[in-house]
Amino acid sequence: AHWCPPCRGFTPALVEWYKKLKDSGKDLEIIFVSSDRDEAAFTEYYAEMPWLAMPYSEREAKDKLSRKLKVNGIPTFVLADGETGEVYETNARSIVGSD
């Protein structure tokens, strides 16, 4: 979220890690699911990101996903299979920066 200091600190590291992996040919995608308080904040914050995002207007889907993944704080970074939906890691922040 735009208002969240830990998120603001994590996002630049995630951008760098994402670009490095994409440039090396890794098949991955990130989908930003915002906890911003309004669409203007979401739009401003998302402008810093090179990946996909769930539309801000999809608040019900965001809430459902947060419950399913047991998100209880931000930033949260989850690794999942895009085809099957299998969740590999619900606390993936620690892998950012690794190959």
Side-chain angles (χ1 to χ4, degrees):
H2 187 263
W3 54 266
C4 166
C7 299
R8 302 286 305 165
F10 178 63
T11 300
L14 185 58
V15 168
E16 184 179 322
W17 181 77
Y18 174 82
K19 287 180 177 180
K20 177 182 169 186
L21 291 178
K22 292 294 271 189
D23 289 348
S24 72
K26 299 285 186 199
D27 183 23
L28 86 140
E29 192 53 73
I30 293 175
I31 302 171
F32 174 55
V33 181
S34 175
S35 291
D36 281 300
R37 295 180 175 134
D38 58 55
E39 192 157 3
F42 160 79
T43 301
E44 182 180 337
Y45 191 32
Y46 180 55
E48 302 171 18
M49 302 173 192
W51 44 72
L52 304 173
M54 175 182 282
Y56 184 82
S57 60
E58 296 292 328
R59 298 290 82 196
E60 189 173 311
K62 180 260 185 203
D63 292 341
K64 184 177 179 181
L65 185 61
S66 292
R67 283 190 303 275
K68 177 181 175 152
L69 296 173
K70 298 179 174 93
V71 174
N72 57 16
I74 57 173
T76 296
F77 186 51
V78 175
L79 288 181
D81 187 299
E83 293 183 21
T84 68
E86 179 183 357
V87 175
Y88 299 128
E89 178 61 59
T90 57
N91 187 18
R93 286 176 56 194
S94 62
I95 68 154
V96 172
S98 66
D99 295 330

